[in-house]
Amino acid sequence: MWDFTSPRKVIFGEDALEYLSELCFENVFIVTDPTIKTMHLEKILAQLGDSKVTVFDKVSGEPSLDTVKDGACSMIEAKPDVIIALGGGSVLDSAKGMFPIYSQPDILIDGLSPFEVLDMRKKTNCILINIPTTSGTGADVTWAIVLTDLSEGTPRKISLANRELVADITILDPVLTKTMTPRLIAGTGMDAMCHAIDGYLSTWRNDFSDALSLHAFKLLWNNLPIAFEQAKVGEVDFAIREKLHNSATMAGWGFGNSQIILSHSLAHTIGAVFKIPHSVCIGAMCWYSLMFNQNYESERICDLAKLVGYTGTAGEIVTNFVSSFKELLLNLELPLSLLEMKVTEEEFQSNLEDLIAFAENDSGTLSNPRSIAHDDFITIFKCVFEGKDIDF
Amino acid sequence: MINMSEKVIFPSKEWVAKFKDVVNSSKDYEEAAKTWEGDFIFEIIPDGTRNLSEKHQLYCDLWHGKCRDAFLVSTEQPAPEKVEYIYSGKYNNWLALFDGKVGPLKGIMQRKFTVTCSPGAMARLMKALKAAQELVKCTTMVENVEYI
Ligand SMILES: NC(=O)c1ccc[n+]([C@@H]2O[C@H](COP(=O)([O-])OP(=O)(O)OC[C@H]3O[C@@H](n4cnc5c(N)ncnc54)[C@H](O)[C@@H]3O)[C@@H](O)[C@H]2O)c1
Ligand SMILES: [Fe+2]
């Protein structure tokens, strides 16, 4: 038995935000961050009529468990009948983390079980609407939340999951992506592309996730470089932005109903330990993950490559695709190594043991198509540090 | 000393003794579980597969990379009153797990297994996936097993 979980509704395209005015809420709780509050909050408020609105805008990048607990306290006080999460993955994950605490204040959020019946909606009469402002994480449709746990010395990203965390409605309006910088477009777009690849290669893949992962990958591969180049010269083509925004959510559906792999184990680990934003490091980690897995999943990597026009023998296709992937990262001006992400040799060496322990226990390692031994991780991390090819 | 080449029946006292030995000689498990503290009941529920007719419970006390104690729960040897984790599944699913066809976490997602524990214990378990995987690997390393 397997589940395919999805929001009840996905509203997308031009003017999608206007859908909010068709709904009727008494008491709205908006979760956002300070940047998005300045850039886009007005657009949401304009749709809410005379509903009572409380805004929690204290979400920071790569949020911690403490941010979630803090927001949940305000939520409990406000007693909303709708939570609107407006922002990137950090905001969406925070709101998804606050909702279970709102429904059950004594819940141990870091002990959230994927199998527990939470009955959040029944207990609160509240629903969750996600409105992503980056075209990246797909967190608007996944049932996982990634939070940083600061309680045990070295910061560590933990993934919590429960199918009730999936939003009721997700709204994809490309107008919100207009303000994204070229760097944010590149990084979050590569996060989405990595989700499509992970969802397709993971050992938890299935017919439903395959369909979404493949199409999302094709849209991202074809549109991300164009959106990036356009953004660099201040151009916004909403047709292209819409493709990216939709495909990020589709990739979220794909990997959210399959799993992540090595790429995300590495990105979660270095992201938390060295405080590198997910969007900055995930593209490169996807490249290392492709190199490590290429001889074990060549058929599936070929499927992806053929979709975007690669031809030749299976061996040629995989080799050319993996090297084009590196080129894509370079074209998008993303860093390839920890050195380029400004991590020093000393920082790397002194944290290596924790890096390996955290990566070994990340769920992406468990569902990677090739099993990863302790010594493999030592070599992989050394390559990641220096920016070297993985050739074993 | 346990004779590994001797045939054992699963589930049985002899199998549990061999399993404990495998766990305690596994360097990979020791490394992955070096900070682990927590005991388990592994529950095998009959489902018409082969000839298993009764529910079996295997108690395992796992501590800092070692298995301190393991036995088949019975009226003569009951499990301690408070056991942190109960990992339960039908016999057929256990056989698939031993065969490497089902992973410890995916098996739970597929409802092939259930875990019962406190929320705090669940948080610790989710951070110890490698140890769980190595422990499952140990079950596949018990040699000469004849399944009931
Ligand atoms: N739950 C999941 O399934 C999942 C999947 C992948 C990543 N994540 C998590 O998501 C987080 C990263 O999310 P993210 O990459 O979307 O970035 P983010 O939410 O951290 O935002 C990054 C920065 O971009 C700004 N920003 C967001 N939208 C903008 C816009 N439209 N215009 C201008 N600036 C904008 C934000 O204010 C912030 O300063 C990480 O914590 C990561 O672990 C979760
Ligand atoms: Fe991601």
Side-chain angles (χ1 to χ4, degrees):
Chain A
M1 191 193 318
W2 199 248
D3 299 51
F4 181 86
T5 313
S6 158
R8 186 159 49 81
K9 265 194 187 207
V10 178
I11 311 292
F12 59 95
E14 199 182 337
D15 300 329
L17 284 181
E18 287 175 18
Y19 177 73
L20 283 173
S21 66
E22 293 177 21
L23 307 172
C24 188
F25 299 109
E26 273 178 26
N27 193 349
V28 182
F29 191 91
I30 300 180
V31 181
T32 191
D33 69 29
T35 312
I36 298 300
K37 183 183 175 187
T38 316
M39 288 175 173
H40 298 297
L41 184 64
E42 272 305 318
K43 297 184 187 67
I44 306 301
L45 296 178
Q47 304 299 328
L48 295 177
D50 48 16
S51 313
K52 180 180 172 226
V53 178
T54 310
V55 179
F56 178 86
D57 65 353
K58 296 198 195 87
V59 175
S60 52
E62 321 285 311
S64 66
L65 282 163
D66 296 337
T67 306
V68 168
K69 288 178 191 162
D70 189 19
C73 285
S74 312
M75 198 178 274
I76 292 166
E77 235 169 77
K79 294 195 183 58
D81 56 356
V82 64
I83 302 160
I84 297 181
L86 173 72
S90 296
V91 165
L92 303 173
D93 277 356
S94 299
K96 284 157 75 182
M98 291 170 199
F99 197 2
I101 307 179
Y102 171 35
S103 74
Q104 195 182 318
D106 63 348
I107 198 171
L108 197 69
I109 191 68
D110 51 336
L112 190 71
S113 151
F115 329 106
E116 202 173 327
V117 177
L118 301 170
D119 267 340
M120 285 152 39
R121 287 155 183 85
K122 227 192 251 168
K123 284 181 189 153
T124 58
N125 275 324
C126 181
I127 64 162
L128 172 65
I129 300 181
N130 281 337
I131 309 181
T133 60
T134 56
S135 306
T137 66
D140 52 313
V141 291
T142 62
W143 53 289
I145 31 184
V146 187
L147 298 172
T148 305
D149 182 357
L150 302 168
S151 67
E152 280 176 23
T154 313
R156 172 175 187 176
K157 276 199 179 185
I158 51 168
S159 302
L160 307 170
N162 187 291
R163 299 213 183 244
E164 289 186 46
L165 301 179
V166 172
D168 297 270
I169 301 168
T170 186
I171 301 181
L172 307 176
D173 194 327
V175 77
L176 298 169
T177 68
K178 190 180 168 186
T179 47
M180 286 173 78
T181 59
R183 192 178 151 82
L184 194 59
I185 291 173
T188 56
M190 285 311 291
D191 188 21
M193 194 174 314
C194 185
H195 293 157
I197 294 173
D198 284 20
Y200 194 64
L201 301 185
S202 150
T203 54
W204 291 25
R205 66 205 181 206
N206 53 74
D207 291 343
F208 294 87
S209 61
D210 278 358
L212 288 155
S213 302
L214 284 173
H215 193 56
F217 170 75
K218 186 175 165 185
L219 291 179
L220 286 156
W221 186 270
N222 292 338
N223 291 290
L224 180 57
I226 306 173
F228 176 70
E229 290 304 327
Q230 287 176 336
K232 281 210 304 188
V233 293
E235 222 180 282
V236 181
D237 178 341
F238 278 116
I240 301 269
R241 292 292 178 94
E242 187 176 339
K243 291 286 180 211
L244 287 186
H245 215 41
N246 292 348
S247 51
T249 292
M250 287 169 62
W253 251 324
F255 91 93
N257 287 292
S258 167
Q259 248 297 16
I260 45 172
I261 61 172
L262 170 65
S263 53
H264 272 80
S265 308
L266 298 173
H268 287 161
T269 306
I270 61 169
V273 173
F274 301 122
K275 299 195 173 55
I276 304 166
H278 190 64
S279 59
V280 172
C281 60
I282 187 63
M285 297 311 114
C286 189
W287 173 55
Y288 293 106
S289 164
L290 279 170
M291 287 190 280
F292 181 75
N293 287 310
Q294 62 182 334
N295 297 327
Y296 290 75
E297 275 299 347
S298 53
E299 217 173 282
R300 285 210 153 219
I301 296 175
C302 266
D303 292 346
L304 293 164
K306 282 185 195 159
L307 260 188
V308 291
Y310 284 73
T311 54
T313 64
E316 285 164 359
I317 291 177
V318 172
T319 310
N320 292 338
F321 176 69
V322 174
S323 72
S324 305
F325 197 90
K326 179 181 179 183
E327 245 166 71
L328 174 64
L329 292 167
L330 292 170
N331 292 339
L332 293 174
E333 298 167 19
L334 288 165
L336 289 178
S337 65
L338 282 176
L339 276 172
E340 287 181 15
M341 293 173 213
K342 310 272 180 280
V343 175
T344 64
E345 168 100 44
E346 200 210 329
E347 283 169 326
F348 174 67
Q349 292 299 349
S350 60
N351 283 291
L352 185 57
E353 211 176 297
D354 277 345
L355 290 171
I356 295 170
F358 294 171
E360 279 183 328
N361 284 296
D362 194 281
S363 56
T365 300
L366 222 60
S367 45
N368 192 67
R370 175 180 173 189
S371 69
I372 316 165
H374 186 81
D375 288 349
D376 293 342
F377 265 121
I378 299 178
T379 316
I380 293 169
F381 271 115
K382 285 189 174 149
C383 292
V384 168
F385 176 68
E386 289 174 20
K388 276 208 214 136
D389 287 7
I390 291 178
D391 57 3
F392 66 97
Chain B
M1 190 66 204
I2 292 172
N3 180 357
M4 281 293 171
S5 59
E6 210 168 88
K7 205 170 209 137
V8 288
I9 296 204
F10 178 87
S12 68
K13 265 190 199 163
E14 293 71 25
W15 186 91
V16 177
K18 266 195 179 184
F19 173 64
K20 184 179 168 198
D21 223 51
V22 170
V23 174
N24 285 335
S25 13
S26 164
K27 288 275 160 251
D28 289 341
Y29 176 74
E30 188 174 16
E31 175 60 30
K34 63 181 173 214
T35 57
W36 180 259
E37 297 175 358
D39 55 355
F40 274 84
I41 280 183
F42 298 108
E43 189 170 71
I44 305 128
I45 300 168
D47 59 352
T49 304
R50 294 173 178 261
N51 298 312
L52 188 84
S53 54
E54 284 168 40
K55 183 170 92 179
H56 284 70
Q57 288 190 327
L58 195 166
Y59 173 77
C60 247
D61 178 11
L62 301 163
W63 187 266
H64 294 191
K66 292 285 175 201
C67 177
R68 291 195 300 198
D69 196 8
F71 56 85
L72 210 55
V73 176
S74 62
T75 29
E76 299 82 59
Q77 198 169 13
E81 213 164 284
K82 272 200 183 144
V83 176
E84 239 179 327
Y85 301 90
I86 301 176
Y87 189 81
S88 174
K90 290 180 188 160
Y91 189 35
N92 195 32
N93 297 331
W94 279 103
L95 294 179
L97 187 96
F98 296 154
D99 217 14
K101 290 190 181 124
V102 179
L105 185 59
K106 191 177 180 186
I108 301 172
M109 302 316 305
Q110 291 173 302
R111 332 277 209 279
K112 289 182 190 292
F113 294 95
T114 56
V115 185
T116 314
C117 64
S118 71
M122 181 56 86
R124 286 195 294 115
L125 187 62
M126 286 312 197
K127 287 182 190 168
L129 295 176
K130 170 86 176 163
Q133 202 180 17
E134 290 301 334
L135 191 68
V136 169
K137 225 195 261 168
C138 289
T139 65
T140 65
M141 282 152 58
V142 180
E143 289 170 2
N144 284 315
V145 183
E146 191 181 309
Y147 295 98
I148 285 184

